[in-house]
Amino acid sequence: MCGIVGLHLKAAGREPDLGSLIAPMIDCMGSRGSDSAGLAIFSSPLPPGRFRYSVRLPEPGVEAQAQAGARRLAEELTAATGQPVECERVRPDGVVLAAGDDVDRVVEELVRARPGAVVMGFGRSLEIVKDTGSPREVCERFGIADRHGFQAVGHTRMATESAVTIDHSHPFAPTQDLAVVHNGSFSNPSTVRRKLEEEGITCITDNDTEVAARLIGRELSRGGDMHAALKEVGNEMDGFYTLLVATDREIAVVRDSFACKPLVVAETDEYVAITSEYIAMTSLPGIESAHVFEPKPEEIHVWQR
Amino acid sequence: MAALATSSTQELGPITGTSVILDCEELSTREINDALRGLEAGSHVTIVHPSGRHNLAVGLFEHLDIVIDGHAGYFIGGLGAGPDITVNGFVGWSVGENLMSGTVRVRGGASACAGASSHGGTVIVHGSASSRAGISLKGGTVAVGGDVGHMSGFMAQAGTMLIGGDAGNALGDSLYEAVIYVAGEIASLGSDARIEDLTQDDVDTVRRLVELTGFDHISPEDVKRVASAKQLYNFDALKGQEY
């Protein structure tokens, strides 16, 4: 069992509230999974040509030491990449860097400067937070309730098919401004993983959701729209899934043909809320008058900004 | 599948026994169920602010009149043997699961597995129910005013389903002795399910259920009777021989 939550704010004025709205939602879904938790937070985009990198460092340090370490890292990467690199945020697990959009170059120099560093996600709007532990602990540790943004998706994990590590936890964010969370279990991830590898797309874990995320990423990178990308998941992948997928432009859901895993959507003039269970959205303002429904099997729903 | 419709607050009937209000904002689910278990038969209870809370009013053995005033979560009224429960809102998965007797009435819609495995009693859903409604029914009654989702009545062994709207794919797959009445369209029948001629007994059964539920949009003479063709009852060693 796992829990998924998503919140897509339609009204720009609510952006300062994103964190305080999503934190109780993901906390509530701790009942469906408490070994790991993660969030993708989408906030104001960086200028064209600039990406945000969510970097986990092997030795992030604490307080002043972490601040100084982050500053030093930004300076080193500025010199190494020949483009300005700034530290946007120092986190308990590392840093969020603003750097150029040559991802391969930035990652190469980052890993050279700090061996063992991991980029968990990148893009103009996207920041990835994920860790082992309960969603409440993770939200408190990363100060989620104070975060601004226009959209977030989150996941609470009860691992059934691969190890409990930060790398195995959701969201998976393999391409620019893409985040995927999943409740369910795929039955043919190895087959699809091998197919992707033949195309040069490599998974970093043996997690089944990572395969689906990379498949969606491949489709979107090829210029396909979200609807087509999720259709391709249905074509290629077998198993039980409720997938919640977000980019900087949209949020989308799809369930397998048996609708084995739960999903509830609530829509108001102000937001679209998506959760495994209705109870996880009852903390939202105006939920009493929201249009609440369950997506049918294989129905693809996409909400765009 | 379920459109989880909201419904207006139902007025309480005449109060003769103890009358109690339990507030989900003040009490845990366990405290609420313990309080319900401590009430004398005939008590009237209103559970307020359910806000999608799971497992409310489960495993109760006395006759109680319980109103859950709002939307509720999973397993509402499950394992009950006595109470009459009304939910003024929608419910999540498995409402009235394994019900033994009594009634669970949902004024809104229900998510998946409504009335799953119920042995007796009646689960009434005024809105639509999602997939697998009445799955593995063992003698209870599941009545849905609106539509039901795919694989409803799957492996239902005994009891009755009444569907006031349309049925999704694979209705009544691998049915045993349960009978399903459908007023609307059937997307597809499941394996070994077939439509049979309606008898006077069937019409009488449906009329009784229409009176009980208040689903007067259903015309008892115009429903389809879905039952088992009984071709899957026994393993046929001579059939096919290709495994």
Side-chain angles (χ1 to χ4, degrees):
Chain A
M1 201 155 70
C2 293
I4 58 178
V5 295
L7 188 62
H8 173 88
L9 298 178
K10 297 177 180 175
R14 298 306 297 256
E15 288 188 12
D17 303 329
L18 181 77
S20 60
L21 294 174
I22 197 79
M25 293 171 71
I26 192 169
D27 177 30
C28 178
M29 284 296 87
S31 60
R32 295 185 64 91
S34 56
D35 64 49
S36 320
L39 284 154
I41 299 166
F42 293 85
S43 55
S44 305
L46 295 180
R50 301 284 288 167
F51 279 175
R52 218 169 244 145
Y53 295 81
S54 304
V55 178
R56 194 171 78 240
L57 292 169
E59 291 172 22
V62 289
E63 295 173 2
Q65 180 203 5
Q67 298 280 354
R71 264 200 311 278
R72 259 198 321 279
L73 177 60
E75 286 164 11
E76 286 173 45
L77 291 178
T78 299
T81 61
Q83 286 192 317
V85 175
E86 294 133 21
C87 173
E88 261 206 339
R89 181 182 297 276
V90 177
R91 304 196 322 197
D93 65 338
V95 289
V96 178
L97 297 174
D101 62 2
D102 184 346
V103 177
D104 290 345
R105 179 81 196 276
V106 172
V107 172
E108 185 187 337
E109 295 300 343
L110 169 70
V111 173
R112 199 195 312 275
R114 298 287 183 279
V118 175
V119 173
M120 298 186 291
F122 59 91
R124 289 179 59 198
S125 292
L126 171 74
E127 180 182 338
I128 294 288
V129 172
K130 54 185 187 176
D131 206 346
T132 54
S134 75
R136 184 172 300 181
E137 288 164 1
V138 173
C139 283
E140 282 171 4
R141 191 160 173 243
F142 287 85
I144 296 302
D146 299 326
R147 301 301 304 275
H148 297 196
F150 58 86
Q151 177 180 272
V153 297
H155 186 264
T156 62
R157 184 164 187 243
M158 184 179 290
T160 53
E161 51 67 59
S162 60
V164 178
T165 74
I166 301 171
D167 284 331
H168 284 82
S169 67
H170 305 213
F172 287 92
T175 57
Q176 181 201 333
D177 287 308
L178 169 69
V180 177
V181 295
H182 166 215
N183 174 205
S185 55
F186 291 108
S187 53
N188 66 338
S190 299
T191 307
V192 180
R193 190 185 293 114
R194 280 193 295 274
K195 277 191 193 175
L196 291 173
E197 277 168 3
E198 285 168 12
E199 298 173 25
I201 298 170
T202 310
C203 292
I204 59 162
T205 71
D206 56 350
N207 180 286
D208 59 346
T209 308
E210 187 188 353
V211 178
R214 289 191 185 272
L215 185 67
I216 294 165
R218 183 193 72 177
E219 293 304 301
L220 295 177
S221 303
R222 285 175 174 176
D225 65 13
M226 180 60 80
H227 198 275
L230 294 183
K231 194 97 184 148
E232 186 64 6
V233 172
N235 293 340
E236 286 288 327
M237 302 206 68
D238 194 8
F240 302 140
Y241 55 88
T242 290
L243 284 172
L244 171 55
V245 184
T247 71
D248 52 344
R249 296 180 305 281
E250 64 224 324
I251 193 164
V253 291
V254 65
R255 304 171 80 186
D256 66 71
S257 57
F258 287 91
C260 271
K261 297 295 176 181
L263 186 68
V264 181
V265 176
E267 189 164 9
T268 71
D269 290 341
E270 292 209 321
Y271 59 76
V272 179
I274 299 162
T275 57
S276 297
E277 301 173 15
Y278 172 74
I279 194 170
M281 51 175 75
T282 52
S283 52
L284 290 172
I287 190 67
E288 304 80 13
S289 53
H291 170 57
V292 180
F293 69 99
E294 293 188 326
K296 293 179 179 174
E298 295 185 320
E299 235 175 38
I300 296 166
H301 293 261
V302 182
W303 293 267
Q304 286 178 324
R305 289 189 82 203
Chain B
M1 195 169 294
L4 302 177
T6 318
S7 77
S8 59
T9 302
Q10 186 214 15
E11 289 199 4
L12 288 173
I15 295 171
T16 50
T18 311
S19 181
V20 180
I21 292 175
L22 301 172
D23 190 342
C24 291
E25 287 181 354
E26 295 171 3
L27 301 168
S28 70
T29 304
R30 181 159 294 182
E31 286 169 334
I32 287 170
N33 285 327
D34 280 347
L36 291 171
R37 252 170 236 128
L39 290 171
E40 60 184 22
S43 299
H44 295 254
V45 187
T46 305
I47 299 174
V48 296
H49 305 122
S51 298
R53 187 79 72 86
H54 302 321
N55 307 324
L56 290 171
V58 297
L60 300 174
F61 302 109
E62 294 289 356
H63 175 73
L64 304 169
D65 278 323
I66 300 170
V67 173
I68 298 176
D69 201 16
H71 307 311
Y74 290 12
F75 303 112
I76 299 305
L79 301 160
D84 289 325
I85 300 166
T86 298
V87 182
N88 289 325
F90 56 69
V91 293
W93 285 42
S94 300
V95 60
E97 188 190 51
N98 219 79
L99 194 68
M100 303 304 284
S101 64
T103 305
V104 183
R105 187 185 283 270
V106 180
R107 298 273 173 194
S111 187
C113 304
S117 297
S118 61
H119 291 243
T122 310
V123 175
I124 302 167
V125 178
H126 283 244
S128 290
S130 179
S131 57
R132 303 181 278 275
I135 185 171
S136 193
L137 201 61
K138 290 180 170 68
T141 300
V142 175
V144 178
D147 304 335
V148 296
H150 64 275
M151 301 219 74
S152 288
F154 179 55
M155 293 189 81
Q157 292 131 62
T160 309
M161 282 189 77
L162 174 64
I163 298 160
D166 300 336
N169 283 313
L171 178 72
D173 192 292
S174 307
L175 268 178
Y176 292 82
E177 299 291 330
V179 177
I180 306 172
Y181 301 105
V182 187
E185 301 299 316
I186 298 169
S188 68
L189 290 170
S191 185
D192 206 33
R194 68 179 181 191
I195 295 174
E196 297 180 341
D197 291 340
L198 212 58
T199 65
Q200 188 56 46
D201 279 354
D202 292 317
V203 174
D204 292 345
T205 300
V206 174
R207 181 170 291 119
R208 185 180 55 76
L209 287 175
V210 165
E211 282 168 13
L212 175 72
T213 57
F215 295 163
D216 51 16
H217 61 290
I218 299 173
S219 165
E221 295 82 9
D222 296 331
V223 298
K224 299 178 189 75
R225 174 192 157 99
V226 177
S228 174
K230 303 185 178 178
Q231 298 303 298
L232 297 177
Y233 268 40
N234 303 102
F235 180 71
D236 185 350
L238 299 176
K239 191 176 176 183
Q241 298 287 2
E242 291 176 20
Y243 298 103

